[in-house]
Amino acid sequence: MGVLSRLREDVAAAKLRDPAARSGLEIALLYPGLHAVWCHRVAHRLWGRGLRFPARALSQAARWLTGIEIHPGAVIGRRFFIDHGMGVVIGETAEVGDDVMLYHGVTLGGRQREGGKRHPTLHDGVAVGAGAKILGPVTIGAHTAVGANAVVTADAPADSVLVGVPAKPRARRTGEDTRSLLMAPEYSI
């Protein structure tokens, strides 16, 4: 996929997920979550080529400009969208699938100092509510919704809903929509 096609795909994903989005131009120019992802793609490419200092410098500049910190070593899938974004932190060994959405204040962080896989893996279609913390080398199954301010420290199966501190998974109910789940008051803490 070419660069312009990828940029258009990102803008379309933001427009699909944000009911406040009015135009592609507004999204491309004014959405810090999108700018952070675009900078991450360049930084990740530099990181992969062994250019660690320039990669970290770019990621820190993006953090300063957007309030979103994505380590250049993190692997990010297609159509990833960060809504509002301020305070989002994504660690070095995090893996994020396609069509994932994060709200502001989300942390995909580590719990130990040893090397190796230290950060979460989010499969395709995961949505993470504002302020949620997903910590350690846990795996969150596809199409799971993580409620606002949940603290996740254990694996979760696909198609589940995670709420609480510590978060406990439950199966989705028939017809439950991810957007409505993340806005329901009973799923915030």
Side-chain angles (χ1 to χ4, degrees), residues 19-181:
R22 286 184 273 289
S23 74
L25 182 63
E26 176 186 45
I27 293 166
L29 295 177
L30 303 176
Y31 276 49
L34 204 53
H35 301 151
V37 170
W38 288 344
C39 285
H40 169 74
R41 288 198 187 127
V42 175
H44 184 71
R45 186 163 281 156
L46 293 170
W47 187 264
R49 292 185 177 149
L51 300 169
R52 302 294 168 95
F53 185 82
R56 290 287 290 160
L58 178 57
S59 74
Q60 290 303 300
R63 175 183 181 219
W64 185 75
L65 292 169
T66 66
I68 299 166
E69 181 175 346
I70 307 174
H71 191 285
V75 176
I76 306 290
R78 293 173 56 190
R79 297 174 302 277
F80 176 53
F81 179 57
I82 303 171
D83 196 3
H84 298 288
M86 185 60 74
V88 168
V89 176
I90 301 174
E92 177 182 11
T93 61
E95 298 173 55
V96 177
D98 296 338
D99 303 305
V100 170
M101 181 169 151
L102 307 181
Y103 285 93
H104 62 279
V106 168
T107 299
L108 304 181
R111 290 187 306 175
Q112 69 257 3
R113 299 184 124 196
E114 295 83 37
K117 178 78 168 142
R118 301 180 315 280
H119 300 95
T121 298
L122 278 57
H123 285 263
D124 296 346
V126 170
V128 183
K133 310 301 178 216
I134 304 175
L135 304 173
V138 300
T139 300
I140 306 302
H143 309 290
T144 291
V146 179
N149 293 315
V151 177
V152 181
T153 58
D155 292 349
D159 296 309
S160 61
V161 177
L162 296 165
V163 295
V165 179
K168 304 283 188 220
R170 72 152 175 85
R172 282 184 190 252
R173 296 181 187 117
T174 304
E176 267 185 329
D177 170 66
T178 298
R179 183 176 287 163
S180 64
L181 275 172

